[in-house]
Amino acid sequence: MSFLDRKETKPAPPQHIAIIMDGNGRWAKKRGLPRTAGHSAGAESFRRIANYCRKIGVKYLTVYAFSTENWKRSAEEVSGIMKLLGAYLKEALRDMEKNHVRFCFFGDLSRLSPELQKLCLDAQSRSSEYHEVQVNFCLNYGGRDEIVRGIRRFAADVAVGKRQPEEITEALFDTYLDSAGVPDPELVIRPSGEMRTSNFLPWQTVYSEFVYMNVLWPDFSSKDLDAAIEEYHRRNRRFGGA
């Protein structure tokens, strides 16, 4: 029985779930396939999980799609990832009226191709009226890079007299980040068996619950998400208070 079937008797899912979509390359290697095949399978897994999150009432889903460090991979693999993302965004734009998903992008999009930048901005603009569920894509994203860019934005406002240095608070600094206006994730899931955060949302996840799972992302199912949510509900979230 899925979380969807039990939602009337179980606690509500976290409002905001973040996922490090890890293990595509290893999934492909285990099957003797090129890494690009793993990314294709991972894209299908994302579609399934995003749709399931919408059905069970998750309001925000943030996924680590491409990090600032992923440019170190082969040109063929990077090109394949970008083509998959472009194809997904074209599909999303086509089906936007049906799915009512709001899209947002965290990261420095300036390094992407002009075509992909336009797709991202079009998806973000055209979906801005939807509020049922918001999917945040971390694309050319690094947590430290996000913080540095936020500092630069604040410093620029100080330089022109819009802000004073002594005004800075945690709440104000939040507004200079890519995630401005989005609540912090309650639950962060990392499939693949790796147990590190890999520069993913370091500011926003200081009190998130982390669940590491020994399943590669292309094999990640709604049952795995159910298990992670159940583990989250077993945690005692004290926020340093006890």
Side-chain angles (χ1 to χ4, degrees):
M1 184 181 294
S2 72
F3 189 92
L4 182 61
D5 297 324
R6 297 174 298 178
K7 67 181 180 180
E8 292 183 0
T9 58
K10 289 286 184 179
Q15 180 182 13
H16 185 175
I17 295 177
I19 302 177
I20 301 173
M21 301 186 295
D22 191 22
N24 294 342
R26 277 167 284 168
W27 182 93
K29 184 177 181 180
K30 285 175 63 177
R31 290 159 176 79
L33 299 171
R35 290 177 64 88
T36 50
H39 294 305
S40 294
E44 289 303 317
S45 183
F46 164 73
R47 285 184 178 90
R48 293 194 304 270
I49 295 303
N51 186 53
Y52 186 66
C53 283
R54 180 173 60 84
K55 288 181 178 178
I56 66 175
V58 174
K59 297 300 183 184
Y60 299 90
L61 173 65
T62 300
V63 293
Y64 211 176
F66 192 87
S67 78
T68 50
E69 290 77 30
N70 287 157
W71 295 106
K72 300 173 186 176
R73 299 183 180 185
S74 72
E76 179 185 9
E77 183 175 354
V78 170
S79 176
I81 293 170
M82 295 302 167
K83 285 179 181 177
L84 279 171
L85 180 62
Y88 173 78
L89 289 174
K90 288 176 183 176
E91 176 186 298
L93 285 164
R94 186 190 67 220
D95 297 337
M96 198 164 281
E97 290 295 325
K98 177 178 67 176
N99 294 328
H100 284 202
V101 174
R102 184 175 185 176
F103 291 90
C104 189
F105 295 87
F106 298 173
D108 180 5
L109 301 185
S110 66
R111 192 170 176 182
L112 307 181
S113 70
E115 179 188 10
L116 192 51
Q117 288 184 53
K118 185 176 186 304
L119 284 171
C120 291
L121 295 175
D122 284 351
Q124 189 163 278
S125 174
R126 288 177 54 186
S127 66
S128 60
E129 64 187 87
Y130 303 132
H131 301 286
E132 184 178 345
V133 60
Q134 177 170 317
V135 176
N136 306 307
F137 290 93
C138 290
L139 183 57
N140 191 28
Y141 175 88
R144 289 182 174 181
D145 179 68
E146 179 190 23
I147 291 170
V148 168
R149 286 186 289 106
I151 291 169
R152 287 173 180 161
R153 292 180 188 121
F154 179 74
D157 279 354
V158 170
V160 297
K162 289 183 179 179
R163 293 288 184 186
Q164 296 300 315
E166 59 271 17
E167 289 182 72
I168 194 68
T169 63
E170 289 184 17
L172 178 60
F173 188 60
D174 273 339
T175 69
Y176 286 87
L177 295 175
D178 299 341
S179 59
V182 177
D184 293 341
E186 294 101 327
L187 170 62
V188 179
I189 303 169
R190 181 164 192 162
S192 83
E194 302 291 348
M195 300 182 70
R196 56 181 177 270
T197 62
S198 296
N199 204 14
F200 183 52
L201 303 176
W203 177 274
Q204 298 88 345
T205 61
V206 290
Y207 275 110
S208 301
E209 297 296 326
F210 282 77
V211 175
Y212 299 97
M213 307 184 79
N214 195 25
V215 54
L216 300 176
W217 174 245
D219 292 327
F220 193 88
S221 68
S222 59
K223 290 183 179 179
D224 295 309
L225 185 63
D226 287 343
I229 292 173
E230 288 174 0
E231 172 60 25
Y232 165 81
H233 283 301
R234 284 193 287 268
R235 305 280 178 90
N236 182 12
R237 307 188 72 211
R238 298 184 298 275
F239 300 97

